[in-house]
Amino acid sequence: MSGQKLITERKRTHRCGTLRAEHIGQEVVVMGWVQTYRDLGGAVFIDLRDRTGLVQVVFDAGVDEAIHAAADKVRNEWVIGVVGKVRSRGTNVNSKMPTGEIEILGAEIEIFNKAETPPFAIDDDVDTAEEKRLSHRYLDLRRPKIQQNLMLRSRLNHVVRRTLHELDFLELETPFMVKYTPGGARNFLVPSRLNPGNFYALAESPQLYKQLFMMAGFDRYFQITKCFRDEDLRQDRQPEFTQIDLEMSFADMDDVHQVMEKVIGNMFQEGIGVSLPAKFPKMSYDEAMRRFGSDKPDLRFGLEHVVLTEVVKAHPNGGLPLFEQAVAQGGMVKAMVVPAAHQLSRTEVDKLEPEAKGVGALGLGRAKIAEGGSWTQSPFAKTVSDGLRQAINEATGAKDGDIVLFQFGPAKLVHTVMNHLRLLLGKKLNLIPANQWAILWVVEFPLFEHDEKTNTYAAAHHPFTSPRPEDVDRLTTDPGACRAKAYDLVLNGNEIAGGSVRIHDPNVQQKVFQALGISPEEQRAKFGFLLDALAYGAPPHAGIAGGMDRISMLLTGATSLRDVIPFPKTQRGQDLMTSAPTPVSDRQLEELFIKSTPPKA
RNA sequence: GGGGUCGUAGUUCAGUUGGUUAGAAUGCCGGCCUGUCACGCCGGAGGUCGCGAGUUCGAGUCUCGUCGGCCCCGCCA
């Protein structure tokens, strides 16, 4: 009853979850793991599991005493093979199982392997601590839901490859071990034994290499590839992650958008049967910040922001000195209306204040609109002038019973806090509809970000991003006002792709470097090879990189990246199964000419 | 670097004001049972209360530290 005969001679004929009424009468060979066994004395029922699902096998003592005795010993998670005839369950159909119309009458059983009792049940319903799941990831990966996630991801990979091949893209590879360049995300470093004291960096992205492919004439490149960033982890951030990376020559922004719309559209259609619009709507960065305080707005619900800066300016001495002060200092004032219908209580509003403070706010201004448009439950109620109050009511559209939340101060902080509050209330008030997909391009990003402390500019995307043609002259006069030919793809409030048109004109590139304060020596040291390549005949080119993990997460309905990555790291970047990273021996370090000086415990 | 939260049986959790032998469900082991599919019934085993100090006559419970999981801010060109 045990051995390997089913493997060497009989071979598997079907996968468990695929059997249906049409197979009735056939003798089948199935193999898998024991999900559950139900021993009724004279009959043993076993639900056998493989990646396609479950099928019930019955071992009947009345039919075959010996096989029943063998099946009687089987336990959960044992790996077995079964030969038997598919038969109807008659009146005992289980409508909850896709295979519930049929069962296999076991005629032969082979036990490939016994199993220890698993530390947690292999079941989607079991709410096991993440720590336990990750330390026994090979068991966690047996759970049907995560298997379905990874099977969907496999299909998505296939769809991406097929779509891009159809569009004449070449799948080309780039190195993981690359030159270290400062700026941007922290790099993981790899010591070079052959070059003592020198290090490679693990690639943050294939960015420079894919541009070099364009300069080499490959015209259209793509790759589904790992990227590495040594930054802190989040629910939607892992230190190694997968990008759908592509680049195309003789292309402008719209060409990249069309390709990506096709790729994402096919992923939705073939992955989960959802049709997205052929073209995705566009929104400018400025509009996104103004209306939502975020460059990745979730358009599935309202609670839009209203900028009141101009309203405050138009009502000098309006009785809200804090608002006026913020405006006078170059800041902004924003409001958000929570309609009366949501019945947000005073206590609930009070609870928002610590939330706002948690993301940097000094406080949370609020007012409840009473009959006739007056304000109550508000620190501003007594001082605000009738004129300013009415103007704010009008600008925000706030009506009787509505609650208005305010923030004022530096624009960046106001946006951050109001965005946080909007997302928080969206969840709290159940405003986010299920099964809805809000996708859009966010375009016209600033080319540079200004650093207040050092009064310098940094590349908002990366230093090879092309400014809009009409902004090229401003590179030297007013860098802060330059807009980039850069774009992000946003789905339900998640950034799922980002890219840009690249600079192919060495003169423009020089101006950008100047604006960034990167000296010619520094340019050579960091990007010499790319500048050389630009000088040898670079085609106009543009590209984008999509976050495969995040896209998979959204399409599977998972709430964490860890549910679509087979072997993820914890928040501290550890692999609980292998316990990586670990110390290494002094001898290994010596060989690499490295000294390690971890802080003492 | 900072904030929040959690850690008790294999698992998920409960555990009162600090007070007898730390409980439940499920899983596991044994027995019975031929139509179960959350099978049922009977019986049994199973605990460094994350770890270390401290307070106390007495700590799962209070204090401090530490380790780890998760969420967030900073960070992620």
Side-chain angles (χ1 to χ4, degrees):
Chain A
M1 285 297 171
S2 70
Q4 298 282 298
K5 199 178 89 172
L6 292 189
I7 301 286
T8 55
E9 292 172 26
R10 292 299 303 272
K11 304 296 184 191
R12 176 167 61 183
T13 63
H14 295 78
R15 288 207 162 78
C16 300
T18 65
L19 292 170
R20 294 290 183 276
E22 68 192 76
H23 299 102
I24 288 170
Q26 291 182 28
E27 186 182 73
V28 296
V29 183
V30 292
M31 299 172 183
W33 286 258
V34 175
Q35 179 70 33
T36 54
Y37 63 95
R38 295 176 293 280
D39 180 358
L40 275 68
V44 173
F45 295 93
I46 287 175
D47 289 343
L48 196 63
R49 184 192 73 235
D50 63 21
R51 73 178 199 212
T52 63
L54 298 172
V55 68
Q56 173 169 289
V57 188
V58 57
F59 298 93
D60 190 332
V63 176
D64 183 340
E65 187 75 47
I67 188 112
H68 172 263
D72 200 33
K73 294 188 180 68
V74 166
R75 290 295 178 268
N76 286 353
E77 297 308 313
W78 287 23
V79 191
I80 64 173
V82 170
V83 182
K85 256 195 184 150
V86 178
R87 68 182 191 186
S88 169
R89 287 216 212 168
T91 56
N92 295 314
V93 166
N94 183 345
S95 56
K96 286 181 231 160
M97 292 173 78
T99 61
E101 272 190 78
I102 55 96
E103 67 187 1
I104 298 171
L105 178 61
E108 252 181 87
I109 183 170
E110 226 171 67
I111 292 160
F112 299 128
N113 249 321
K114 297 180 180 182
E116 305 265 320
T117 304
F120 48 85
I122 312 301
D123 195 329
D124 290 334
D125 297 334
V126 176
D127 187 20
T128 307
E130 196 108 23
E131 201 174 347
K132 299 266 180 349
R133 293 174 45 195
L134 290 177
S135 59
H136 298 273
R137 187 61 166 174
Y138 39 85
L139 297 179
D140 195 34
L141 289 174
R142 288 182 187 173
R143 290 159 59 237
K145 179 60 190 163
I146 204 162
Q147 292 208 336
Q148 283 154 19
N149 288 351
L150 295 179
M151 288 191 284
L152 174 59
R153 188 170 171 153
S154 171
R155 271 208 304 288
L156 295 176
N157 273 313
H158 176 72
V159 171
V160 170
R161 287 204 165 86
R162 202 205 63 230
T163 304
L164 288 171
H165 280 299
E166 281 169 6
L167 293 171
D168 248 351
F169 281 77
L170 298 169
E171 185 167 6
L172 303 172
E173 294 177 59
T174 53
F176 286 152
M177 292 159 62
V178 302
K179 176 189 169 72
Y180 169 73
T181 50
R186 281 187 202 92
N187 291 105
F188 288 100
L189 295 177
V190 181
S192 169
R193 179 180 56 83
L194 298 177
N195 301 275
N198 288 284
F199 295 81
Y200 302 96
L202 292 182
E204 297 168 27
S205 77
Q207 182 61 39
L208 298 178
Y209 288 93
K210 69 175 178 178
Q211 291 190 243
L212 293 168
F213 276 144
M214 296 305 103
M215 294 167 198
F218 285 98
D219 197 270
R220 288 185 166 203
Y221 141 94
F222 88 95
Q223 191 180 191
I224 299 175
T225 190
K226 281 284 180 70
C227 301
F228 306 89
R229 294 181 188 174
D230 188 7
E231 295 293 347
D232 286 6
L233 284 72
R234 286 280 191 287
Q235 199 171 37
D236 61 349
R237 273 165 28 193
Q238 282 274 314
E240 51 178 310
F241 60 99
T242 306
Q243 282 193 341
I244 306 165
D245 193 49
L246 65 90
E247 193 80 6
M248 48 202 297
S249 293
F250 311 112
D252 200 0
M253 188 169 86
D254 287 337
D255 300 294
V256 176
H257 288 192
Q258 276 173 34
V259 167
M260 205 59 183
E261 282 159 356
K262 189 86 183 156
V263 170
I264 298 288
N266 284 353
M267 290 171 90
F268 267 77
Q269 190 66 63
E270 296 172 42
I272 59 170
V274 167
S275 301
L276 292 180
K279 288 189 77 64
F280 303 157
K282 287 180 169 61
M283 183 184 292
S284 74
Y285 171 86
D286 284 342
E287 184 182 349
M289 295 308 288
R290 180 164 48 81
R291 292 172 57 194
F292 304 100
S294 168
D295 61 358
K296 44 177 183 172
D298 189 336
L299 301 187
R300 290 175 298 174
F301 66 102
L303 299 183
E304 287 193 26
H305 302 166
V306 179
V307 177
L308 296 176
T309 310
E310 294 306 318
V311 175
V312 171
K313 273 188 197 165
H315 293 78
N317 300 313
L320 299 178
L322 291 173
F323 284 22
E324 287 173 39
Q325 193 187 334
V327 172
Q329 288 170 352
M332 80 184 312
V333 179
K334 256 191 174 186
M336 181 168 73
V337 177
V338 184
H342 297 310
Q343 299 191 327
L344 201 61
S345 74
R346 188 166 187 166
T347 317
E348 286 170 315
V349 174
D350 285 344
K351 279 183 188 160
L352 293 175
E353 182 147 13
E355 286 287 345
K357 285 182 174 171
V359 291
L362 296 171
L364 176 64
R366 80 289 290 271
K368 185 166 186 175
I369 311 297
E371 240 175 295
S374 65
W375 290 0
T376 62
Q377 301 181 13
S378 172
F380 309 130
K382 283 181 185 159
T383 63
V384 68
S385 71
D386 286 350
L388 180 53
R389 180 169 51 73
Q390 280 162 20
I392 290 175
N393 287 355
E394 193 178 325
T396 58
K399 293 183 186 60
D400 192 10
D402 291 355
I403 289 163
V404 188
L405 304 175
F406 297 99
Q407 280 294 307
F408 47 87
K412 196 180 168 202
L413 181 61
V414 169
H415 288 313
T416 303
V417 174
M418 291 297 273
N419 173 48
H420 185 75
L421 289 175
R422 177 174 178 265
L423 295 176
L424 196 74
L425 285 170
K427 273 179 217 150
K428 190 180 163 60
L429 302 174
N430 290 318
L431 302 181
I432 304 174
N435 302 317
Q436 187 172 323
W437 303 100
I439 196 162
L440 76 153
W441 292 105
V442 175
V443 297
E444 296 184 9
F445 279 80
L447 187 59
F448 304 110
E449 279 168 6
H450 190 245
D451 187 327
E452 304 286 336
K453 285 177 203 151
T454 58
N455 195 28
T456 54
Y457 287 96
H461 187 56
H462 60 60
F464 315 107
T465 302
S466 175
R468 296 189 308 180
E470 60 264 41
D471 289 338
V472 169
D473 291 339
R474 290 187 180 144
L475 282 173
T476 42
T477 57
D478 187 6
C482 288
R483 301 282 134 174
K485 281 196 168 184
Y487 32 83
D488 278 357
L489 187 57
V490 175
L491 174 62
N492 292 356
N494 296 270
E495 180 193 334
I496 59 166
S500 63
V501 175
R502 326 298 182 190
I503 299 169
H504 66 280
D505 179 342
N507 291 324
V508 174
Q509 187 67 68
Q510 278 310 313
K511 283 184 183 172
V512 169
F513 279 141
Q514 275 166 27
L516 290 169
I518 301 177
S519 69
E521 296 74 34
E522 231 178 319
Q523 294 167 27
R524 291 248 35 106
K526 288 182 186 171
F527 312 114
F529 57 99
L530 186 79
L531 299 178
D532 288 344
L534 268 176
Y536 280 111
H541 60 290
I544 192 165
M548 188 65 191
D549 310 281
R550 282 186 194 171
I551 295 170
S552 302
M553 178 174 93
L554 292 166
L555 287 184
T556 57
T559 52
S560 166
L561 234 43
R562 290 182 297 271
D563 287 340
V564 292
I565 294 174
F567 299 102
K569 307 278 191 288
T570 68
Q571 189 148 50
R572 289 183 67 246
Q574 296 189 346
D575 177 343
L576 294 181
M577 185 178 64
T578 65
S579 77
T582 59
V584 296
S585 71
D586 288 343
R587 204 173 143 267
Q588 282 171 287
L589 291 176
E590 276 166 31
E591 193 174 48
L592 297 167
F593 308 95
I594 289 177
K595 261 188 195 150
S596 181
T597 56
K600 290 186 180 77

